[in-house]
Amino acid sequence: MMDTLFSKIIARQIPADIVYEDELCLAFRDINPQAPVHILIIPKNPIPKVIDATEADKDLLGHLLIVAGKIAKNEGHEEAFRLVINNGENAGQSVFHLHVHILAGRNFNWPPG
Ligand code: DGP
């Protein structure tokens, strides 16, 4: 796949406010936050979209959710946070390197916009 700017963040070619890193993933604050806490978690091994994930990725995808919970807790928001994964342009995806948005620090509406 084509490198996205998230690959450049992993490679430290673009600066980011990194809050968590392990061998499988990296998490950093969104440049355009939609909530007081808005963090993105990305796999280091890039998958463009959720729909591109396979059975081989199931441990990785589970890991991203476990890490999301840990980060929300670290940020002081274990009681209420929202996780979002946009798949495809019409769903709001703009960077084609799978990422989980962690949003917290305000109330969220349902249904989402
Ligand atoms: P999505 O629309 O779901 O593809 O989310 C992409 C998010 O990535 C969007 O909320 C803004 C964020 N973003 C885009 N470019 C950068 C960047 O260079 N640095 C950081 N930290 N976030 C970025």
Side-chain angles (χ1 to χ4, degrees):
M1 73 174 259
M2 296 279 290
D3 262 5
T4 67
L5 59 92
F6 287 176
S7 295
K8 294 190 169 70
I9 289 175
I10 293 169
R12 307 304 203 265
Q13 291 163 353
I14 293 178
D17 185 356
I18 292 169
V19 299
Y20 177 88
E21 180 171 23
D22 64 27
E23 68 282 8
L24 295 176
C25 67
L26 185 73
F28 52 90
R29 294 189 194 279
D30 195 292
I31 205 167
N32 183 24
Q34 302 302 312
V37 173
H38 188 171
I39 291 167
L40 305 174
I41 309 178
I42 63 174
K44 287 187 172 174
N45 194 10
I47 301 167
K49 301 190 279 185
V50 166
I51 198 70
D52 301 311
T54 69
E55 280 291 311
D57 300 311
K58 66 184 180 188
D59 286 351
L60 172 64
L61 296 184
H63 182 70
L64 297 181
L65 294 188
I66 302 293
V67 168
K70 287 181 180 166
I71 291 173
K73 188 173 183 181
N74 281 349
E75 295 284 326
H77 291 287
E78 68 184 294
E79 291 304 321
F81 58 93
R82 181 170 286 184
L83 304 181
V84 174
I85 302 176
N86 297 321
N87 182 97
E89 259 169 20
N90 288 347
Q93 187 174 7
S94 60
V95 179
F96 291 87
H97 180 143
L98 188 154
H99 48 282
V100 181
H101 296 258
I102 307 171
L103 297 146
R106 66 169 171 85
N107 292 336
F108 297 101
N109 294 328
W110 194 263

